[in-house]
């Protein structure tokens, strides 16, 4: 039986016990996905129990936490490095679990007070902070570095150098970005769910915001589903099952959301040098392995594989479908130009999010007596970053066009607030 307050209004069950269940479910889901993905990538063979620490580090980075590379090679040598990459498959699973857990006690409610929603979110946030502290303090490890047969190995043996490399977490930054991530997930959950209650003062915004937010979530999830299907087909037909599974479980959104921006015409700058391998189509690796910073867009990719032009058609269909969904979920009184404007703003914000979380940066270098790059594949650099302003401009343009066309397609679909025309009376 649903509990009620003295005024007779339904009160959701969302105390500390429920908040603990939501937090544990979210952390466990992210941990399982990260563990399976890293196992498929071969991380289970890491020595000294490092596998568990790497899994925890993957969860930390998935919510925006900071993991820093560290090294110790003695007084005569130096180890430098850095890594910035978000395993968005882990991020997405955690976001879906937290969002579902947050909304579940609020179902069947039309309106909820701001204090009630804030209190429920605060309980989850407090327990999430505690979990983040535990993850950040545990996700650190050090490895002995094998130098192989190289000039660096000879110098290391001569001077008795035994280099080590490892990773640590920046606890304060992890807590800040982890809480911001959770806040974004919970706010987006309220915006996307048609049945989620809102404070009375915000109800007037739901007709313009909720359909667009829902359409963007559908668009992003459709890309992920399409990427998973393609990955499974590739694994079955071309082999490399373990590697493909690792990419699916760790980085499917990284690839398909990058493809989304490329299909819109966005340009990224990238470069690969050294032993880094990219878990993505070979054509992208080929473009980025040049002497200078490479321009990554449809034109440069098409120089290696002309099939990339199909991305434009795919994105046009998916964006049109998302715009249609947005229009169908909007009230009938919304004008065509308003649909176009809503779609443009929503798509621009979505592309901005992809540009911010889709960046990749990695570098590693070992030097002896100040001499770096002595062979042995012990130094390298990898980065991929977007040209944000151009991406946002293209997103606005695509949003305006597809929003208008999607609304036109939805004109014959009956929508909220539409009054059917009375049937004409027949002859007596």
């Amino acid at each position: 039986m649903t509990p009620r307050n003295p005024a007779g209004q339904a009160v959701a069950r969302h105390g500390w016990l429920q908040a603990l269940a939501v937090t544990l479910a979210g952390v466990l889901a992210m941990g399982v996905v990260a563990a399976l993905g890293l196992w498929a990538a071969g991380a289970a063979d890491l020595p000294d129990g490092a596998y568990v620490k790497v899994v925890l580090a993957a969860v930390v980075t998935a919510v925006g936490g900071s993991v820093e590379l560290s090294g110790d090679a003695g007084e005569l040598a130096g180890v430098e490095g850095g890594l910035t990459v978000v395993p968005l498959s882990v991020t997405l699973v955690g976001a879906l679990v937290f969002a579902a857990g947050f909304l579940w006690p609020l179902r069947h409610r039309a309106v909820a007070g701001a204090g009630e929603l804030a209190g429920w979110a605060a309980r989850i946030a407090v327990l999430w902070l505690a979990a983040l502290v535990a993850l950040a303090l545990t996700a650190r490890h050090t490895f002995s570095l094998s130098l192989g047969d190289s000039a660096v190995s000879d110098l290391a043996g001569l001077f008795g150098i035994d280099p080590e490399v490892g990773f640590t977490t920046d606890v304060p930054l992890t807590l800040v970005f982890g809480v911001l991530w959770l806040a974004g997930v919970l706010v987006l959950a309220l915006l996307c769910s048609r049945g989620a209650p809102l404070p009375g003062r915000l109800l007037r915004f739901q007709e313009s915001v909720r359909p667009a937010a829902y359409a963007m979530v559908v668009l992003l999830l459709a890309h992920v589903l399409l990427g998973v299907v393609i990955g499974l087909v590739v694994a079955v037909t071309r082999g490399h099952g373990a590697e493909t599974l690792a990419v699916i479980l760790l980085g499917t959104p990284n690839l398909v959301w990058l493809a989304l921006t490329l299909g819109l015409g966005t340009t990224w700058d990238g470069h690969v040098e050294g032993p880094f391998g990219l878990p993505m189509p070979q054509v992208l690796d080929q473009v980025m392995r040049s002497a200078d910073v490479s321009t990554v867009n449809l034109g440069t990719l098409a120089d290696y594989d002309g099939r990339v032009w199909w991305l434009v058609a795919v994105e046009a269909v998916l964006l049109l479908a998302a715009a249609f969904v947005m229009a169908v979920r909007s009230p009938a009184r919304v004008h065509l130009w308003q649909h176009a404007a809503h779609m443009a703003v929503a798509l621009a914000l979505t592309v901005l999010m992809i540009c911010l979380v889709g960046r990749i940066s990695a570098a590693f270098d070992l030097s002896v007596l100040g001499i770096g790059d002595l062979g042995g594949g012990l130094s390298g650099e990898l980065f991929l970053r977007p040209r944000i302003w151009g991406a946002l401009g293209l997103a606005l343009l695509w949003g305006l066009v597809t929003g208008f066309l999607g609304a036109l397609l939805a004109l014959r679909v009956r929508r909220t607030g539409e009054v059917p025309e009375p049937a004409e009376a027949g002859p007596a």
Side-chain angles (χ1 to χ4, degrees), residues 397-412:
L397 180 60
W398 275 86
L400 288 171
V401 174
T402 56
F404 185 85
L405 294 177
L408 279 178
L409 293 176
L411 285 179
R412 291 186 171 274

Side-chain angles (χ1 to χ4, degrees), residues 36-42 231 234-236 238-250:
L36 291 175
L38 290 168
W39 169 80
V234 170
V236 171
R238 300 185 182 180
H240 305 290
E243 293 86 347
T244 303
L245 181 62
V247 173
I248 291 175
L249 291 171
L250 294 176

Side-chain angles (χ1 to χ4, degrees), residues 240-269:
H240 305 290
E243 293 86 347
T244 303
L245 181 62
V247 173
I248 291 175
L249 291 171
L250 294 176
T252 298
N254 299 71
L255 300 180
V256 296
W257 295 348
L258 170 65
L260 187 161
T261 64
L262 291 173
L264 300 183
T266 299
T267 295
W268 294 63
D269 294 317

Side-chain angles (χ1 to χ4, degrees), residues 268-296 300-301 304 362 377 379-384:
W268 294 63
D269 294 317
H271 182 62
V272 180
E273 180 181 3
F276 294 107
L278 292 176
M280 54 182 64
Q282 186 179 8
V283 60
L284 183 58
D285 186 81
Q286 291 174 331
V287 171
M288 293 175 61
R289 287 191 183 275
S290 61
D292 301 315
V293 176
S294 301
T295 298
V296 181
T300 57
L301 293 171
Y304 292 87
S379 64
E381 181 184 22
L382 161 65
F383 67 83
L384 183 64

Side-chain angles (χ1 to χ4, degrees), residues 95-338:
L96 292 175
V97 173
F98 270 104
F102 176 71
L103 294 176
W104 180 255
L106 304 173
R107 67 194 187 282
H108 310 312
R109 301 277 302 281
V111 180
E116 179 188 354
L117 293 176
W120 173 221
R123 290 183 177 91
I124 298 176
V126 169
L127 296 174
W128 172 238
L129 268 175
L132 278 180
V133 170
L135 290 170
L137 293 177
T138 309
R140 49 190 64 193
H141 196 77
T142 301
F143 306 87
S144 295
L145 185 62
S146 176
L147 300 178
D149 298 326
S150 65
V152 175
S153 177
D154 296 338
L155 287 174
L158 177 64
F159 292 105
I161 297 171
D162 185 19
E164 294 180 337
V165 65
F167 58 88
T168 59
T169 54
D170 188 324
V171 177
L173 279 179
T174 296
L175 297 182
V176 170
F177 286 111
V179 170
L180 290 176
W181 173 83
L182 178 65
V185 168
L186 300 187
V187 170
L188 188 60
L190 285 175
L191 292 179
C192 293
S193 175
R194 176 182 288 178
L198 290 176
R201 294 181 179 179
L202 299 181
L203 289 176
R204 59 194 177 98
F205 296 107
Q206 66 178 347
E207 292 184 352
S208 59
V209 175
R210 275 188 164 169
Y214 178 82
M216 291 301 100
V217 171
V218 169
L219 176 68
L220 294 176
L221 292 180
H223 278 81
V224 172
L225 179 60
L226 184 60
V228 170
V229 171
I230 293 175
L232 293 176
V233 171
V234 170
V236 171
T237 59
R238 300 185 182 180
H240 305 290
E243 293 86 347
T244 303
L245 181 62
V247 173
I248 291 175
L249 291 171
L250 294 176
T252 298
N254 299 71
L255 300 180
V256 296
W257 295 348
L258 170 65
L260 187 161
T261 64
L262 291 173
L264 300 183
T266 299
T267 295
W268 294 63
D269 294 317
H271 182 62
V272 180
E273 180 181 3
F276 294 107
L278 292 176
M280 54 182 64
Q282 186 179 8
V283 60
L284 183 58
D285 186 81
Q286 291 174 331
V287 171
M288 293 175 61
R289 287 191 183 275
S290 61
D292 301 315
V293 176
S294 301
T295 298
V296 181
N297 56 30
L298 289 175
T300 57
L301 293 171
D303 290 337
Y304 292 87
D305 190 340
R307 291 175 296 179
V308 300
W309 288 112
W310 281 102
L311 282 176
V312 178
V314 171
E315 297 307 329
V317 171
L318 292 177
L319 286 174
L320 193 59
F324 176 81
V325 169
M326 182 192 71
V328 168
R329 291 175 68 94
S330 299
R333 61 179 173 274
V334 178
H335 299 291
L336 292 178
W337 68 267
Q338 291 176 309

